[in-house]
Amino acid sequence: MGEFWTVTNSRTRDEFLAHASKLCEENQRVTFEYFTKFDNRKQAQNRLAHKWYQEVADQGKEYTPQEVKCRAKHHFAVPILVVDDPVFAAAWEKAIQSFPTYESQCDELLVFFPATSLMSVKQMTRFLTMFQNKMSRKYKLTDPEIYGLAA
């Protein structure tokens, strides 16, 4: 697997160059690919979210990245969408009748039930902020600025 960096200012540029220099000094095989900008902010948000799911899974060793994602959807995305979207709220209420427990909702329903993919950029910003505020208490998460998402 690789790393993804967004260089948006002199600080992230310097951090990237220092990191790249260290890899080269360690004689690691490195390939760099660059893009002038993201196609849109939502893609950067999605990349960051998936990076964080992986980091929590790797550091916590309790859940897979997919299980972290489903729990994050349950704790953060579903409440945002239930408040903001009456159609989603109705679908969620109907769906959880067949998945009445927290575990079944996380491990069965939310594996295929859309939540974050339905969110606007603004809603996804709220989701990421909530995730970061909660999870950074226990886990070291990648700085959103690396993805061009500074608050």
Side-chain angles (χ1 to χ4, degrees):
M1 192 170 257
E3 294 184 46
F4 182 87
W5 288 75
T6 298
V7 177
T8 57
N9 57 43
S10 60
R11 189 194 96 191
T12 55
R13 179 201 61 216
D14 294 345
E15 289 173 355
F16 169 74
L17 292 173
H19 181 70
S21 178
K22 181 180 176 192
L23 292 174
C24 291
E25 288 171 8
E26 295 172 354
N27 293 320
Q28 292 191 32
R29 185 174 176 184
V30 179
T31 301
F32 297 99
E33 181 177 1
Y34 75 92
F35 303 92
T36 55
K37 64 179 182 176
F38 284 108
D39 292 338
N40 64 45
R41 191 166 182 84
K42 183 79 174 200
Q43 288 179 345
Q45 290 175 317
N46 289 341
R47 286 185 182 122
L48 178 62
H50 285 274
K51 177 76 170 169
W52 283 350
Y53 305 148
Q54 185 69 53
E55 289 171 343
V56 169
D58 289 348
Q59 293 171 42
K61 302 196 184 319
E62 185 177 0
Y63 299 109
T64 68
Q66 177 68 25
E67 290 169 330
V68 172
K69 177 181 180 177
C70 290
R71 280 152 180 77
K73 286 168 62 173
H74 194 283
H75 287 279
F76 310 118
V78 169
I80 290 169
L81 290 169
V82 164
V83 169
D84 290 358
D85 184 348
V87 173
F88 178 89
W92 178 252
E93 285 304 315
K94 187 171 184 174
I96 62 174
Q97 292 174 12
S98 298
F99 300 89
T101 67
Y102 171 80
E103 290 78 14
S104 66
Q105 290 169 15
C106 288
D107 297 332
E108 299 169 43
L109 174 61
L110 285 168
V111 170
F112 66 86
F113 198 88
T116 52
S117 62
L118 301 175
M119 297 178 119
S120 68
V121 169
K122 185 177 179 180
Q123 289 169 323
M124 192 65 179
T125 298
R126 288 171 36 210
F127 169 84
L128 290 171
T129 300
M130 293 166 71
F131 185 94
Q132 182 183 32
N133 288 341
K134 171 98 176 173
M135 303 309 272
S136 65
R137 295 178 197 159
K138 186 173 179 180
Y139 305 103
K140 180 168 176 25
L141 301 177
T142 295
D143 183 349
E145 192 170 301
I146 292 173
Y147 286 75
L149 299 172

